[in-house]
Amino acid sequence: MTLLVLGLSHRSAPISALEQVSLRPDQIDDLRGRLVLGQHVREAVVVGTCNRLEVYAEAETFHGAVTEITTALAEVSGADLTGLRPHLYVHHDERAVSHTFHVACGLDSMALGEGQILGQLRGGLRAAQHGGEVGPQLNSLFQRALRVGKAAHSETGIDDVAVGLVEAGLLAGEEVVGPLPGRHVLVVGAGAMSSLAAATSTRLGAGTLTITNRTPHKSEHLAASYDADSVPFEELGGALVAADVVVTCTGASAQVISAEQVQQALAQRPDRPLVLIDLALPHDVDRDVLQIPGVTLVGLEELGLLLAGDGQVPAQVEAVRELVAEEVASFLADRRRQAVAPTVAALRSRAAAVVEAELERLRARMPDLDEATDRQVALTVHRVVEKLLHAPSVRVKELAGAGGSGDYADALRELFDLDPQTVAAVSTADDDAAYPPDATRGLADLADLADLGPGLPTTLAEAVRRQAAS
C-alpha cells in the first residue's frame, strides 16, 4: 500500500488553473466516490480550498492510482487534462506524510502559518468519513496531522509571524484610499474568511463596517458580533457607493460583483477611488473592473506576491519545520510497526493452533488425565510458547519501527512458513465489504506523463521516474 497526495495549489498553478478545479461540495463527494470504486485507490480524502485542491489516497498501486485520480479529477471538474497536468504534483509515502503535516501547520499556505487550513482538513476528513471513503490509514494520517497543526500553533509561536490574506489586502488598500481609520469597509459574505475580514477591519480601526450576504440572518449575526451594519444583498449596488474598501469571499460559483455594478457605483462618487479585495475562488469580482478608472482590484495572485516577503525564514518557521520532521519520523515508524503487526499476529495464531493440536493429541493418548492436571499442562505449554515468541515479537516491531519493516516481515513469513493469505486475513479489523475488491490491472501506461513540464513541488513525471527507479 502507498500513501499518495496528488493535487495543485497556488505554488504550482496560476489562479486560472485553480479556478478550473474549484469544486462544489457535491462534486468533491462525487470525486471521492469515483476513486474508491476504482481498482487502485482504497481510501480517499479530498481537500478543496480557495488556493488548493488535493486528493489524499491510500493506494494499492502507485501508477494505477495516479492515473485514476487524474482521470477522475478531469471528469468531475470538466478541466482539460492536458492543460492541467503541468500544474499537478504528487507525493508518495514519506513525502506524502511530510507534505500533509506541512499543510496542516500552514507552512504551505499562501498566508504563512494561517490556521484556517486545520478546519479545512478536518472538514475534508469528516466528509470522507460520512461517505465511507476513509479507512484506518488516512484516518490515522489526518488525525496525526491535525494534532501536529495544533501543536505548531500552540508551541512554536507561528501565529506571531503569520500574515493573513485579509490583513495583507487591507494594508494594500490603505495605499490607495489612505489610512483605514475613517474609511468605510464593506464585507461581502458571511463565512469564515468574511468573519476574519470583519475582525481584521475592526482591529485595524476601520471607521465604518458593513456586512452583506445572500442569507440575511448570517450577515446580521456577523454584523452584531462587530457592531457593524447589515444590508440586504439586493442593496449591494448602494453599498458599493458608500464603500472605500470591499472585501469579498462568498464561495459562489458565479461572479457576485459585476463591472457594470462598479461602474454605476463610481458614477455616483466620481472623486473617490474604490479598492476591491477578492479572496474568492472562483472570483467574486468581474475582471473587467480593471478597465474602470479609479478601481484597484487585489486578488489572490497579487496577495501571493505581497506575502512572498524578503525570503528570510523566521525562527518560528524553523521551529515548526523541526516539529514536522520529528512527527513525520514518528508517524512513519508507527506505520512500519503496523505493517509488520499482521505477520506477528499470524505467527502467534500459528503457534496457538500448534499448541491446541498438540494438547488434543496428548488428551487422546492420556484420556484419564484429570481436569486440574490438564489445565496445568495447557497453561505451562502456553507459557513456554508465549515466552519463546515474546522477544522476537517485540524485537521485530522495534526493528520495523527503525526501518525495513518489509524485510523483517518477509523473514518471519519465510522462517515460519506463514501463508500470505493468513497474514492478509489479520491485516485489518475492518469489514472488507466496505472497500472495493482487490484487483490488479497491471501498470497503467504513463508514457504521456514524461513531458509534463515543471511543477511544484513535485511533478507527476518526477514522481513516476522516482517510483520506477526505486
Side-chain angles (χ1 to χ4, degrees), residues 233-253:
F233 191 77
E234 293 74 18
E235 298 178 14
L236 176 60
L240 290 173
V241 175
D244 296 297
V245 177
V246 178
V247 183
T248 179
C249 186
T250 66
S253 58

Side-chain angles (χ1 to χ4, degrees), residues 198-357:
T200 306
S201 300
T202 300
R203 178 169 55 83
L204 295 178
T208 306
L209 179 62
T210 300
I211 314 290
T212 186
N213 186 58
R214 291 188 187 277
T215 307
H217 78 270
K218 290 185 178 181
S219 59
E220 291 168 0
H221 177 74
L222 182 58
S225 301
Y226 296 100
D227 194 25
D229 298 324
S230 173
V231 300
F233 191 77
E234 293 74 18
E235 298 178 14
L236 176 60
L240 290 173
V241 175
D244 296 297
V245 177
V246 178
V247 183
T248 179
C249 186
T250 66
S253 58
Q255 291 175 346
V256 174
I257 300 176
S258 68
E260 181 180 1
Q261 285 177 305
V262 174
Q263 183 77 64
Q264 292 174 353
L266 261 66
Q268 300 180 55
R269 28 91 55 94
D271 298 327
R272 290 169 48 212
L274 177 64
V275 175
L276 299 165
I277 302 171
D278 188 356
L279 304 178
L281 194 66
H283 292 304
D284 278 346
V285 181
D286 185 348
R287 301 291 99 178
D288 287 344
V289 300
L290 290 169
Q291 310 303 319
I292 303 174
V295 174
T296 300
L297 176 61
V298 181
L300 291 173
E301 289 177 317
E302 292 80 9
L303 289 174
L305 296 175
L306 288 174
L307 294 170
D310 57 8
Q312 298 297 313
V313 179
Q316 293 92 332
V317 174
E318 287 295 348
V320 175
R321 289 176 177 172
E322 291 176 5
L323 172 66
V324 167
E326 293 173 1
E327 291 291 343
V328 168
S330 174
F331 180 84
L332 291 173
D334 289 344
R335 184 173 166 90
R336 288 191 293 266
R337 282 190 287 267
Q338 291 169 2
V340 80
T343 301
V344 173
L347 173 59
R348 288 180 170 275
S349 177
R350 165 69 67 82
V354 171
V355 167
E356 289 303 318

Side-chain angles (χ1 to χ4, degrees), residues 29 32-33 36 125-134 434:
D29 292 342
R32 288 195 319 271
V36 297
L125 174 61
R126 286 177 177 172
Q129 289 172 333
H130 180 74
E133 295 96 3
V134 69

Side-chain angles (χ1 to χ4, degrees), residues 72-91:
L73 179 58
E75 290 175 350
V76 172
S77 67
D80 176 54
L81 187 54
T82 302
L84 199 60
R85 278 175 173 160
H87 307 300
L88 291 171
Y89 50 77
V90 63
H91 302 296

